[in-house]
Amino acid sequence: MRIALHSVIADGAIDDYRTHHARVPDALRELFGVAGIHDWTIWRSGRNLFHLVECDDFEAAMRVVDASPANDAWQADIGRFVEGFHGPDGEDGFTPIEQVWALSTQRAADA
């Protein structure tokens, strides 16, 4: 399953955010593996961040991640640089955005 998320970097924190993501803690990387998260990619446009999470089951993965001290430590550190996650309609929280179209899906359907 693929989940897209949106977050916003705090004003003036772009460089710190980049620096902290040069390499996330090994404990967090390992936690993602245990939680069934296969990949997590982040793109930036200005202060807006767009995340693509590839996982087995996003809700189950977030239950595992949210219960972990490794995630607590990461959030305490990285949280200084992020205004928070925003859902597709601007609400706060870890709400996935809707995929509307994918070229690969259309090509596969036409094959």
Side-chain angles (χ1 to χ4, degrees), residues 26-46:
D26 290 341
L28 186 67
R29 189 195 68 212
E30 292 166 10
L31 172 62
F32 285 170
V34 169
I37 297 172
H38 306 291
D39 200 9
W40 191 313
T41 307
I42 304 170
W43 293 271
R44 182 184 69 83
S45 178

Side-chain angles (χ1 to χ4, degrees), residues 1-109:
M1 121 186 293
R2 282 192 215 144
I3 299 294
L5 306 166
H6 172 232
S7 61
V8 178
I9 298 176
D11 193 31
I14 291 171
D15 290 337
D16 289 325
Y17 186 87
R18 272 198 206 115
T19 299
H20 278 72
H21 277 85
R23 181 174 175 91
V24 302
D26 290 341
L28 186 67
R29 189 195 68 212
E30 292 166 10
L31 172 62
F32 285 170
V34 169
I37 297 172
H38 306 291
D39 200 9
W40 191 313
T41 307
I42 304 170
W43 293 271
R44 182 184 69 83
S45 178
R47 291 179 47 221
N48 292 295
L49 299 170
F50 304 92
H51 308 247
L52 179 64
V53 183
E54 297 185 38
C55 58
D56 297 329
D57 179 324
F58 182 73
E59 289 183 16
M62 288 300 96
R63 284 192 297 272
V64 171
V65 169
D66 288 343
S68 171
N71 184 58
D72 291 342
W74 174 249
Q75 294 307 319
D77 185 30
I78 201 66
R80 300 175 289 155
F81 312 119
V82 181
E83 288 183 1
F85 278 87
H86 302 282
D89 297 316
E91 68 275 6
D92 287 340
F94 237 14
T95 306
I97 59 176
E98 173 189 6
Q99 178 178 320
V100 175
W101 176 81
L103 175 61
S104 60
T105 302
Q106 185 172 330
R107 283 182 172 158

